[in-house]
Amino acid sequence: MTMTRVAASCAGDAEHAGLIALTDGLKSLIAYWADKPEDAFHYASQGTDTAASLRGTVGLWLLGLQARAAAVLGDEETVRTVNQAAADRRERVVHDDLDQLGGLFTYAPEKQLYYAVESEVLLGHGDARLAAQAEQAVLGFSDPSSPNWAFGDLAGSQFDLALIRLFSGDVEGSGMR
C-alpha cells in the first residue's frame, strides 16, 4: 500500500487522471485481498469518480472492483447497478494511453466478465446463465499465448465456475468430489 501511495503521488504530480484513478484501483485491489471490503469499495468509488470522464478501460476496472467489494459487503443492488454500468460503458470505450501499455494498465473484456461473474458468486448465486458466463470467462483465459492471459485470472475464473456449479447442486461438475 505504501508503494501505491507513492505511485499515487507521482500520478498526481503528473496530473494524469488515468494514473490517479489506476492507483485508486490498486489501493482497492490491495484492500480487497487484505479482507477490508469497506476500504476496497471506498478506493474503487473514489477512482470511479476520478475516471468518470475518461474513455479508456481504467474506469471499467474500477467499476469491477467496486462490484466485487459491494458483493463481499452483501450489497446486491450495488453489484447489479455497477455491473450494468460497466457493461454499458464497455460499448463506449476508446483505448487511451494506458490501454496502449497493456498488462495491468488495460481491462480486457475477459477480465470484466470474470469480475462480473465473481461478484455474483460472492453473493452466492449459481444458475445456468451465470454458469455460461463463467465458462466463457474460463475460456477467455485458457490460452497462455493470449495477450490478456493471466494465471491468477484463469485460476479465479475456474474457481468461480466450480462454485457456481456447486451452488446450483452440480457437485460432479464442480470438481469437488
Side-chain angles (χ1 to χ4, degrees), residues 84-97:
Q84 186 59 56
D88 295 344
R89 190 168 174 174
R90 172 60 72 178
E91 297 173 13
R92 298 184 311 276
V93 163
V94 176
H95 291 279
D96 60 14
D97 56 337

Side-chain angles (χ1 to χ4, degrees), residues 53-70:
S53 64
L54 303 177
R55 302 282 311 273
T57 63
V58 69
L60 292 174
W61 181 50
L62 288 153
L63 290 169
L65 292 167
Q66 209 174 10
R68 288 197 321 179

